[in-house]
Amino acid sequence: MKAFALLVAASFATLALAKGDGGMLTVTVTNPLDEARADEIVAVPDCRGAWLVHDAQGTLLPSQTTHDGALLFPATVAAKGAATYTLTPTRVPITYQTVACGRVYPERVDDVAWENDRVAFRAYGPALQKTGERAFGFDVWCKRATALPVVEKRYFDELSRGITYHQDHGNGLDCYKVGPSLGAGTPALLQDGALLMPWAYQKAEILDNGPLRFTVRLTYPPKTVGAAKDVVEERLISLDAGTHFNKTTVAYRNLPAETPLAVGLVLHDDGPTHAEPGLIAYADPTDRPGKNLGPIFVAALFPTPVGETRTLPIPAADRKAAGADAHLLGVTPLAPGQAFTYWWGAGWAKGDIPDWAAWQTCAQTALRRLRAPLQVSVKR
């Protein structure tokens, strides 16, 4: 797999398919768009167990079975074209190079941190909240010069060797400021025109952990919404190899009535922004403007368009700690029992997104593909 430089066991490098193998599946992936798509992760449902995936040339591709029984692999399909893949059950699973992964870091006040070959992210946990530090939103960790995982080593170096991850030691750094803000695409309910800011998650369950997808379910402590005092927020977040964007589904148990849901980007300065019903984006100056560290580009994508985009001031008491005056929001009504799915993510000028124009192209391309996903059909 060229884009990810994934490795497979050498003993399988020349594996030949035997025609008529029992249990073999033929998968056809169709591209509805007039643009080629390379190494895009697709999912074949109801494929529990271990499988070998080969393309039409017989090349073995990396794969992963998810917690809900789907088989993932990277598909490459021509514009308006179709590509065929063969799936063969195996008793000898292959270990592929991990690209998308993460874990809970109890040694770092319960952070949940995860990454792929493009970028890394972090959500804050209950041990941090107990310290009194108010850090609400999703954090971004910049990556460059490697497709391999870096977060584990960054935490080890920070906590065990005194080597800070706030400096770039060759593969990127943490230079994004969150504080009492929504950070890089966090959801929050709106009540009486104000954000009901989340704090730290209460429970984290890692459901998938590579090689091609990381998935975590975060559950938050009960909050008061209107007359209800037991509204529980749940986020299901997944990050695939090869993308800048996390898929996130947010829902609220016991929501008493239709309530506006906002997805926000914190605005640390008056840098360039983009807002439309399907997309909000911003070029962030990093937490050290003028130090030639960035910028960091952030965005949220809404395949189902939001009803409104707007800028909302941050309360005066939080502006200094957030280092910001406002949020850029996408706002949509959320009914009781309803869930909302969107994507959010980031890129970096010293990584693979050279400038604001490139980020706009990246975000628009991702949105277009989300609205016209690769179609998967299976012949058993």
Side-chain angles (χ1 to χ4, degrees), residues 141-160:
W141 282 19
C142 300
K143 286 183 68 171
R144 69 178 178 89
T146 180
L148 299 178
V150 300
V151 168
E152 185 77 14
K153 186 174 188 304
R154 287 190 192 176
Y155 273 116
F156 176 80
D157 286 348
E158 169 89 10
L159 299 173
S160 300

Side-chain angles (χ1 to χ4, degrees), residues 217-234:
R217 179 185 292 119
L218 300 178
T219 305
Y220 286 76
K223 65 180 68 177
T224 299
V225 181
K229 300 183 183 298
D230 58 349
V231 177
V232 175
E233 177 183 355
E234 186 174 278

